Amino acid sequence: MAHASIKVSEHSWSTRVKTADDAVRFVNHMGFCLLFPVKNVPLPSLYYAMARRVPITWDKYTAKLWEWKDELPRKRRAFYAKYFKTRGTFISLKLLPHFLAMRESSAAPEAAERFYSAGRISHDARAIWQALAEHGAMATLELRHASKMETKAGNERFKKAMLELQCLLIVTHFGAEQETDAWASNRLELVARAFPAHVAAARDITPEAARAVLAQKYRSLYPEAPAMQVARLFGWSKAEAEAALA
DNA sequence: GATGCCCGTTAAACAACTGC
DNA sequence: GCAGTTGTTTAACGGGCATC
């Protein structure tokens, strides 16, 4: 019962999250959390901490959360990217170096070519990375233009490559921008530029040590979680998860 | 060998503009 | 006024594969 365990953990947070300060405290306490609860993904979510109910609707909580996902990274109060299950995820600044070390992706802005040669990223991901390295932070449409993915088909490739880069913690959301008169789009930046100190700190942490810290943090939230669940969530092998929990 | 998770695709919803 | 764009999100579906 995934939802049951979600509630158990979030009930350990006694007060309702109302302000941006509350949200930062919540993220710091949990270490990492989702924006919205996701079925079969046993992680705390900010939406639940605010609304205290599961069905997600378009309400005042959603609207506020929407602002925070732009505001908190821009003010460097928390890290935000699509991470767990490619869904919106906040990571505390304290644990960011461990996530980077665990993914072995504490990369300099000019490392795109090396990652591509090593087979770690796709051709499209390399194009986006290099565009950001050359021009700095950009909003979605601007970046698509710079990466030559302006067509409808190009947008599909762009979205896919963007997920790839966010799950590797190479690119992050870094504020919002009103590009058209419709909805605001995201401003995107290389993690190495937005959080340089955290990327540097990650280089002093081994993947094994990083996994141990993250696994034990997770166990403190979900004491009942079996090793297999931890492995699936973080994308580790069963053996890696067991070693991290030991 | 069966069960269940993963991933990709697809559709829906939201707000607002453009063009017919 | 409606259809079709744009951006964003989640939910649903189905095939393939891993784990037990």
Side-chain angles (χ1 to χ4, degrees):
Chain A
M1 280 289 142
H3 275 305
S5 56
I6 288 171
K7 284 176 187 171
V8 166
S9 171
E10 288 179 341
H11 283 163
S12 76
W13 188 259
S14 53
T15 58
R16 191 185 274 252
V17 170
K18 287 178 183 165
T19 66
D21 286 343
D22 294 340
V24 172
R25 273 193 291 274
F26 183 83
V27 172
N28 286 340
H29 175 77
M30 299 297 175
F32 39 88
C33 68
L34 297 167
L35 251 67
F36 300 100
V38 178
K39 221 176 183 175
N40 295 324
V41 180
L43 282 174
S45 77
L46 256 181
Y47 183 84
Y48 187 84
M50 298 169 78
R52 295 297 174 94
R53 50 180 168 72
V54 168
I56 304 160
T57 55
W58 204 263
D59 52 25
K60 58 180 176 177
Y61 305 115
T62 324
K64 195 171 275 186
L65 201 42
W66 226 238
E67 289 173 25
W68 290 348
K69 93 171 164 48
D70 299 325
E71 177 191 333
L72 298 185
R74 190 169 41 77
K75 293 184 176 168
R76 291 190 173 79
R77 303 189 71 189
F79 178 87
Y80 173 79
K82 292 188 186 173
Y83 187 73
F84 287 108
K85 310 290 282 186
T86 72
R87 303 304 174 85
T89 302
F90 275 117
I91 294 175
S92 75
L93 294 185
K94 189 180 161 195
L95 286 187
L96 178 56
H98 296 86
F99 274 91
L100 287 160
M102 181 263 285
R103 298 294 275 142
E104 299 183 78
S105 54
S106 50
E110 46 281 338
E113 189 59 44
R114 184 164 57 79
F115 269 60
Y116 178 70
S117 304
R120 295 191 61 189
I121 57 172
S122 68
H123 181 268
D124 289 335
R126 181 184 61 171
I128 293 170
W129 185 339
Q130 288 175 333
L132 284 171
E134 187 178 342
H135 301 108
M138 276 183 277
T140 304
L141 292 179
E142 227 179 336
L143 182 54
R144 272 175 61 193
H145 176 75
S147 313
K148 301 193 167 41
M149 299 185 202
E150 288 167 298
T151 62
K152 197 175 168 69
N155 190 24
E156 296 306 312
R157 285 162 48 215
F158 179 83
K159 284 195 285 192
K160 203 169 162 184
M162 193 53 72
L163 281 181
E164 198 183 326
L165 289 170
Q166 288 188 56
C167 288
L168 261 182
L169 301 170
I170 297 295
V171 171
T172 184
H173 287 223
F174 205 58
E177 200 162 290
Q178 202 69 41
E179 286 194 292
T180 67
D181 289 332
W183 281 20
S185 50
N186 295 311
R187 191 167 177 78
L188 303 156
E189 173 64 297
L190 293 172
V191 176
R193 291 236 178 88
F195 298 94
H198 299 81
V199 172
R203 300 210 175 96
D204 295 329
I205 306 170
T206 64
E208 293 75 24
R211 282 196 293 269
V213 168
L214 295 174
Q216 277 153 39
K217 180 68 188 173
Y218 187 73
R219 262 283 166 79
S220 76
L221 301 176
Y222 300 94
E224 308 296 319
M228 200 53 222
Q229 180 177 316
V230 176
R232 203 158 42 227
L233 190 61
F234 286 96
W236 304 337
S237 70
K238 193 179 174 186
E240 285 173 338
E242 279 167 350
L245 288 164

